[in-house]
Amino acid sequence: MLFVHLSDIHFKKTEIGQPDDPNLALRSDIIRDVRRMRKEIGRPADGILLTGDIAFAGRAEEYAFAYAWLEEKLCPEAGCKIDDVFVIPGNHDVDRNAEKDIAQSMAREALRGTPAKDVNGYLRQWLRSKLASGVIFGPIQEYNRFAAKFLCLLKPYIDNDGAEDLAARPFARRDLPLNDGSTLRLWGFNTVLVSDVTDAKERMLIDPAAGQIEEEDGVCHMVMAHHPFEWLKNGRDFQDRCERIAQIQLFGHEHTRRVDEGKYFLRIRAGAMHPDRDERDWKPGYNWIDVTVDGADDKRKLVVKVWVRQFETNDFLAIPDRNGKPVWENSYDLPGWKAPKITAETATTEVSAPVLESPTMTTSAPQPPPTIRNVTIKLFKLKEHEQRRVITLLNLDRPGDREMKDYELVVAAVKRSETLGVLSEMDRLIDRTLAGETL
């Protein structure tokens, strides 16, 4: 798997879309460098990893600009699709107007004032309370609207009726296939459960689930968090677990460019794509990261290559490793594992899911089957009343949906369509709507 890794983009409402945007030329240079690196590496990226601070002040306009830039500029040049984006929030993704609310202020004060040994217990209660969790997730509502398109929506451990919902999590997760058939599992954790202008080291909090990542045969772990460990008041369990089982650890926030090459893990702190121009050491940057499994059975190694790119004077250049090589390369021993064999009996036991009949079905050349990710992206392209029409026609609405936010309903409906075997039909209805048909 080959990724483009960006962080701290900081799209600012007062600058984006303006001819005098101070970062307009810089973004053009980044796109040009992505095109050049794709050619140099010799293949397109499989995904885009964003480790927070997409916006500057958590505003809807900033996310709209970010999405358009990803879809129209970055993804095409990197060679991947818009649904291959994976994102987590940073402190600039918090709506600073929402944070001024008295309930927000008191919540931050209470949680930050709780002793480190007790704070995880309190957080578990907050994340399971409908009222309290609304205080925590309220300031990242516009971020969540953006992240929902990539199935990176962050939610408390409750559904709309107040009961526990196993599909609702305050972190994002995605499984991707590696070259030997094993799995690369991406984890995206939220380090802005509390955040304001007084953010500082040892004052940030992370969901206690971050310290409970499970080992699994044939699974390699890549962990993403905006704030590095030392910023987290309750980060000890998270750090200990990552250093034990997460071979790759990605961070943002600190606008430095450094790769920590450990014996058991690789820690990458991303440079900011749009650092503040008043910073003493203004050096925008980003990374390319390649993850491959070498060897087989009990001689497997995870090979990680990193191309560290940094803006110097008037162009992006490679930052070499300590030996002067342009590519940082590390390998890590993996437990023995064999891909399960697919037998004829296994293959014939799979039953294709039924779909609703459609008058527009044709016998043209077969297309790749739709996925939850690409159908979600497409459904978000419809107007809200069009989304509701598709959902209603497929009988995917439920009584409790009235309490859902519009973007939560979209994600829930797509997941229901897969469970009920009508994902392909939903895909067709969306295409017809986008083509201007009246359903």
Side-chain angles (χ1 to χ4, degrees):
M1 301 298 295
L2 179 65
F3 303 100
V4 176
H5 173 211
L6 297 164
S7 192
D8 297 67
I9 304 174
H10 299 152
F11 284 125
K12 186 181 291 188
K13 179 184 176 182
T14 56
E15 296 175 353
I16 53 177
Q18 302 300 316
D20 60 347
D21 181 344
N23 292 307
L24 184 63
L26 174 61
R27 285 197 298 277
S28 176
D29 292 340
I30 289 172
I31 293 299
R32 189 178 70 248
D33 193 67
V34 166
R35 184 188 311 132
R36 178 170 54 194
M37 290 302 299
R38 174 182 170 183
K39 183 177 180 180
E40 180 178 314
I41 295 171
R43 69 184 202 274
D46 295 295
I48 308 292
L49 306 178
L50 303 178
T51 45
D53 281 3
I54 294 91
F56 183 79
R59 304 295 295 273
E61 301 92 335
E62 296 168 345
Y63 291 115
F65 187 90
Y67 185 89
W69 183 77
L70 288 167
E71 184 176 44
E72 299 168 11
K73 302 286 187 179
L74 183 60
C75 287
E77 293 299 345
C80 62
K81 302 185 296 296
I82 185 65
D83 44 299
D84 294 321
V85 171
F86 189 81
V87 59
I88 59 172
N91 51 292
H92 280 278
D93 294 309
V94 174
D95 184 340
R96 293 307 177 193
N97 289 325
E99 78 166 21
K100 297 175 183 177
D101 181 82
I102 184 64
Q104 304 289 343
S105 177
M106 294 183 71
R108 288 191 301 271
E109 202 63 33
L111 287 168
R112 284 177 167 170
T114 302
K117 65 182 180 64
D118 300 324
V119 74
N120 280 348
Y122 279 101
L123 274 175
R124 290 187 182 98
Q125 295 180 53
W126 278 75
L127 294 173
R128 280 174 167 78
S129 164
K130 186 174 182 179
L131 186 61
S133 62
V135 175
I136 286 182
F137 290 93
I140 60 167
Q141 179 167 306
E142 292 303 331
Y143 164 82
N144 258 336
R145 188 182 302 278
F146 168 79
K149 299 175 181 178
F150 312 113
L151 297 179
C152 294
L153 174 65
L154 305 178
K155 296 180 65 177
Y157 293 109
I158 53 174
D159 66 13
N160 289 310
D161 295 321
E164 186 167 355
D165 178 5
L166 297 179
R169 300 185 181 97
F171 57 85
R173 197 179 87 174
R174 182 176 297 174
D175 285 354
L176 299 172
L178 287 170
N179 54 293
D180 69 340
S182 62
T183 297
L184 177 66
R185 180 161 294 162
L186 303 184
W187 297 88
F189 291 108
N190 178 10
T191 60
V192 292
L193 295 172
V194 295
S195 178
D196 59 18
V197 294
T198 68
D199 288 352
K201 290 184 177 180
E202 299 186 359
R203 283 176 61 82
M204 312 308 295
L205 299 174
I206 190 168
D207 172 24
Q212 302 299 321
I213 302 172
E214 295 183 89
E215 291 187 81
E216 188 175 330
D217 291 342
V219 175
C220 301
H221 299 279
M222 177 187 284
V223 167
M224 295 169 53
H226 183 66
H227 292 87
F229 297 122
E230 59 268 24
W231 285 76
L232 305 176
K233 179 175 183 175
N234 63 334
R236 173 52 60 186
D237 290 344
F238 177 43
Q239 181 172 356
D240 289 347
R241 195 62 178 168
C242 284
E243 292 182 351
R244 180 179 172 185
I245 72 168
Q247 295 88 356
I248 310 169
Q249 304 163 14
L250 306 183
F251 296 96
H253 192 63
E254 294 183 344
H255 300 175
T256 57
R257 181 157 245 46
R258 189 171 77 237
V259 179
D260 295 334
E261 299 170 300
K263 182 178 181 180
Y264 300 106
F265 55 83
L266 187 67
R267 187 171 297 157
I268 304 170
R269 300 190 185 194
M273 187 180 120
H274 285 169
D276 192 321
R277 289 178 178 269
D278 293 332
E279 290 184 18
R280 182 174 56 85
D281 195 18
W282 184 81
K283 291 184 177 180
Y286 76 103
N287 305 318
W288 285 77
I289 303 172
D290 178 67
V291 185
T292 307
V293 176
D294 188 25
D297 300 336
D298 59 350
K299 296 182 179 179
R300 301 167 65 239
K301 287 183 177 291
L302 187 71
V303 180
V304 186
K305 299 178 182 178
V306 184
W307 290 260
V308 180
R309 308 297 294 171
Q310 184 166 290
F311 193 80
E312 299 283 351
T313 310
N314 59 4
D315 202 0
F316 279 86
L317 303 174
I319 299 300
D321 69 5
R322 66 187 68 191
N323 296 317
K325 296 180 180 179
V327 183
W328 301 63
E329 183 170 344
N330 290 265
S331 64
Y332 303 95
D333 292 333
L334 293 175
W337 178 80
K338 289 185 178 181
K341 293 182 179 179
I342 300 177
T343 64
E345 181 180 354
T346 305
T348 56
T349 58
E350 295 183 2
V351 180
S352 59
V355 298
L356 301 181
E357 293 183 2
S358 168
T360 60
M361 291 179 67
T362 66
T363 57
S364 58
Q367 298 294 320
T371 66
I372 286 182
R373 280 158 56 186
N374 59 40
V375 172
T376 299
I377 287 287
K378 290 168 67 173
L379 187 54
F380 270 111
K381 291 183 182 297
L382 303 184
K383 296 182 175 66
E384 186 173 349
H385 73 275
E386 294 172 330
Q387 295 170 354
R388 298 273 179 170
R389 179 64 174 160
V390 170
I391 292 169
T392 301
L393 285 173
L394 294 174
N395 297 316
L396 297 173
D397 43 351
R398 300 291 182 270
D401 291 350
R402 289 189 297 271
E403 293 191 28
M404 279 190 179
K405 296 178 174 62
D406 57 315
Y407 55 87
E408 293 176 334
L409 176 59
V410 169
V411 174
V414 177
K415 290 182 177 179
R416 288 171 191 163
S417 75
E418 185 193 44
T419 300
L420 297 174
V422 295
L423 182 65
S424 294
E425 179 64 11
M426 172 176 271
D427 188 53
R428 284 190 287 272
L429 290 179
I430 296 171
D431 284 342
R432 290 170 58 190
T433 305
L434 289 171
E437 291 186 40
T438 301
L439 301 181

